Amino acid sequence: MKQLKGYNADAVRGMEREALDKYKNMSEDALVDALMSQVRKSKSDGSFDPRELKSFAEMMSPHLTPAKRERLDNIIRLINSDM
């Protein structure tokens, strides 16, 4: 995970609200499409970090149902492939 130097809780809450507003009405398929588009962009500009993705998945995994954990694993495999 990135270091939180200069962390501002109010700014983070604002970003969370923006993300929630942007994605809250999207279907799962639309969310995956948006994610894959962002991953392609990150890979092409060199900002994609597979270690950060792995860390996120490990952090989230215990909070997911087995079905959702399997879905997350499948998405991560797709992301880690050359797409």
Side-chain angles (χ1 to χ4, degrees):
M1 288 273 179
K2 294 180 181 177
Q3 296 298 318
L4 297 176
K5 185 176 184 179
Y7 174 81
N8 179 319
D10 290 333
V12 172
R13 280 192 280 281
M15 292 183 333
E16 288 172 344
R17 278 191 297 276
E18 288 175 24
L20 178 60
D21 288 343
K22 182 177 180 179
Y23 298 112
K24 68 182 176 184
N25 294 321
M26 294 175 82
S27 69
E28 183 177 336
D29 287 339
L31 286 169
V32 171
D33 288 345
L35 171 65
M36 298 309 286
S37 176
Q38 184 61 42
V39 167
R40 281 186 202 91
K41 180 181 173 204
S42 296
K43 283 185 173 185
S44 70
D45 70 17
S47 63
F48 178 74
D49 184 353
R51 294 171 303 199
E52 191 172 328
L53 178 63
K54 181 180 179 189
S55 177
F56 171 78
E58 288 171 351
M59 178 181 64
M60 293 305 298
S61 187
H63 305 284
L64 301 175
T65 64
K68 291 196 182 283
R69 191 174 303 121
E70 182 178 349
R71 178 75 169 134
L72 178 61
D73 290 343
N74 289 336
I75 292 169
I76 289 172
R77 273 193 292 282
L78 181 61
I79 288 171
N80 286 329
S81 73
D82 288 332
M83 295 193 315

